[in-house]
């Protein structure tokens, strides 16, 4: 998707004169639960179509609410996208951090890549397309959305850099350029695996974990 739309489409604009607020809930659904429903639907829509082509009407339809209700909760299409970014970035970073955490149960050396992949698959199983919210090519250059996405990606890259450097260090390799090259190989591999998984919705997180265990073993023993 190469579109560089710089704003919300006209039919996605909130009704003029409407007073914005934070509703307590709709149709008897508590506000926190309704927000979670909206975020899940929005991440699916944004992940499938990108910010530029995503439809607020489609998101509302997925949730079963009106389009003005989305604006009542998130003010704008951009506001909803930012909320999705923050939500999925926190989930991804937490999953990676948990896999890398120090402690007696921390994966050692060559087991770390599989632990991280398993953590990511498990964290994203119920919202796989949200991965593409973090890596949306339709976000306008220099926009608040693009900058926010870059900040989140840099945090994820920082974890990748730490993990790959530690992996090389365990083999006595302290070369920073080797570590940087391996980080790029790793992040590209993760992105490719996520795309492949999304294209195979019949595969569960457990299926992918087992598959990656086989692939990593084959690579190590080749």
């Amino acid at each position: 998707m190469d579109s560089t739309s710089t704003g919300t489409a006209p039919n996605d604009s909130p009704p003029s004169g409407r007073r914005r607020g934070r509703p307590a809930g709709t149709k008897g659904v508590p506000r926190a639960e309704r927000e979670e429903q909206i975020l899940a639907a929005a991440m699916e829509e944004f992940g499938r179509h990108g910010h530029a082509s995503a439809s607020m009407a489609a998101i509302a339809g997925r949730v079963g609410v009106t389009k003005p209700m989305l604006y009542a909760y998130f003010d704008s299409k951009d506001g909803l996208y930012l909320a999705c970014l923050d939500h999925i970035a926190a989930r991804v970073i937490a999953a990676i951090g948990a896999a890398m955490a120090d402690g007696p149960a921390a994966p050692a050396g060559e087991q770390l890549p599989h632990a991280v992949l398993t953590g990511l698959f498990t964290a994203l199983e119920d919202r796989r397309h949200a991965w593409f919210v973090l890596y949306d090519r339709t976000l306008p250059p220099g926009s608040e959305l693009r900058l926010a996405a870059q900040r989140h990606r840099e945090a994820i890259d920082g974890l990748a850099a730490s993990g790959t450097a530690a992996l090389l260090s365990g083999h006595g390799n302290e070369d920073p350029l080797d570590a940087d090259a391996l980080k790029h190989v790793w992040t590209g591999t993760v992105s490719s695996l996520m795309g492949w998984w999304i294209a195979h919705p019949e595969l569960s997180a457990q299926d992918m974990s087992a598959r990656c265990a086989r692939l990593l073993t084959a690579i190590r023993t080749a």
Side-chain angles (χ1 to χ4, degrees):
M1 288 177 261
D2 295 322
S3 172
T4 55
S5 170
T6 57
T8 302
N11 65 346
D12 282 337
S13 299
S16 60
R18 181 181 55 75
R19 181 179 179 182
R20 290 173 176 167
R22 302 292 286 174
T26 56
K27 298 181 179 178
V29 178
R31 179 166 65 89
E33 182 178 342
R34 181 64 83 196
E35 285 188 356
E36 181 67 22
Q37 291 172 352
I38 293 172
L39 285 172
M43 284 188 282
E44 179 82 7
E45 177 71 10
F46 287 133
R48 285 181 178 275
H49 304 291
H51 172 270
S53 299
S55 163
M56 291 290 272
I59 294 170
R62 289 176 185 271
V63 182
V65 299
T66 63
K67 193 165 67 173
M69 185 57 63
L70 300 184
Y71 294 103
Y73 275 81
F74 294 97
D75 292 336
S76 66
K77 183 179 182 180
D78 285 2
L80 178 53
Y81 197 95
L82 283 171
C84 290
L85 268 176
D86 290 343
H87 184 91
I88 194 58
R91 182 176 283 212
V92 166
I93 289 170
I96 297 173
M100 295 175 61
D102 293 331
E110 295 178 354
Q111 299 305 313
L112 181 58
H114 182 251
V116 171
L117 287 170
T118 298
L120 287 173
F121 295 137
T122 301
L124 295 173
E125 183 157 29
D126 63 339
R127 51 196 62 185
R128 304 179 189 192
H129 284 87
W131 177 260
F132 292 129
V133 175
L134 281 167
Y135 297 92
D136 186 352
R137 296 179 182 178
T138 75
L139 299 179
S143 66
E144 181 184 3
L145 297 180
R146 175 67 70 88
L147 294 174
Q150 287 175 344
R151 286 194 298 271
H152 289 311
R153 292 197 297 266
E154 286 169 1
I156 294 168
D157 282 353
L159 290 172
S162 175
T164 51
L167 184 62
L168 287 178
S169 180
H171 289 273
N173 186 340
E174 304 292 342
D175 188 322
L177 289 180
D178 280 1
D180 187 58
L182 183 57
K183 185 207 77 172
H184 281 77
V185 170
W186 170 249
T187 55
T189 299
V190 171
S191 182
S192 295
L193 284 170
M194 284 296 172
W196 190 87
W197 185 37
I198 289 167
H200 292 79
E202 74 280 6
L203 298 178
S204 68
Q206 185 176 359
D207 292 333
M208 285 299 295
S209 177
R211 187 176 303 277
C212 287
R214 296 194 297 272
L215 295 177
L216 289 168
T217 297
I219 291 170
R220 287 195 296 269
T221 56

